[in-house]
Amino acid sequence: MNTDDSADSSSGSLTTAEVETLARAAHEGQTDKAGRPYAEHLQAVAEGVRARGGDAEQIAAAWLHDSVEDDALTERRLREAPLSRRTKDIVLALTKRAGEPPEAYAGRILATPGALLVKEADLAHNADPARLAVLDEPTRTRLTEKYARMRALLGLSVPDQASLIRDT
């Protein structure tokens, strides 16, 4: 997904390609639950945001959506990064906090302009049947229920199989 789109050209922000490079470096060596390079998930979410009509700030946030939560970037480094305020706000809205109830997390996403679209793309990729199929049954069941609950809290409809296939 290399592109030269500016995340916010008016404020000297990193380009989308630069954000991608930052995200890939920050998550270097990390893998998802299936053992795949974590950057594959980030790319799929960014592509899902683009396919849903997201703008450059949302695409940048998609690349970074797990960076603070996964300790790939500190919150301070994110705040100091040359990114738009909106991109940073989306990333922070999508950062789960220890002990936070799902309802509070969903409320923060809904209250942050642009965050819902990024979370929708994240959930779509996380719930992809092909991704879930490689996990053991208890993990697959737990995650499927977790993602369905979050979709419900966010007021998102359950995606049909065609949309899941498009998002991969």
Side-chain angles (χ1 to χ4, degrees), residues 4-15 56-57 82-87:
D4 290 329
D5 295 345
S6 172
D8 183 6
S9 59
S10 64
S11 65
S13 290
L14 296 173
T15 65
E57 291 174 320
L83 297 164
S84 72
R85 168 58 38 212
R86 182 168 171 252
T87 295

Side-chain angles (χ1 to χ4, degrees), residues 6-125:
S6 172
D8 183 6
S9 59
S10 64
S11 65
S13 290
L14 296 173
T15 65
T16 304
E18 290 167 332
V19 172
E20 176 183 348
T21 299
L22 172 66
R24 287 181 181 277
H27 289 275
E28 182 68 33
Q30 291 182 348
T31 57
D32 66 12
K33 290 174 182 64
R36 302 289 310 159
Y38 202 77
E40 290 179 8
H41 171 64
L42 303 176
Q43 182 172 1
V45 174
E47 289 173 353
V49 168
R50 183 183 298 279
R52 287 170 172 79
D55 59 31
E57 291 174 320
Q58 290 170 303
I59 293 167
W63 276 107
L64 297 170
H65 78 277
D66 282 334
S67 60
V68 175
E69 182 177 320
D70 291 350
D71 295 323
L73 289 178
T74 64
E75 188 172 330
R76 179 180 175 187
R77 185 165 176 212
L78 174 70
R79 289 187 189 282
E80 293 172 351
L83 297 164
S84 72
R85 168 58 38 212
R86 182 168 171 252
T87 295
K88 294 173 189 180
D89 288 347
I90 292 170
V91 172
L92 293 173
L94 296 173
T95 300
K96 292 178 196 158
R97 299 171 185 160
E100 180 177 38
E103 296 80 5
Y105 176 61
R108 188 172 60 253
I109 291 168
L110 292 170
T112 304
L116 181 61
L117 187 111
V118 178
K119 187 61 180 177
E120 181 179 17
D122 179 41
L123 287 168
H125 189 248

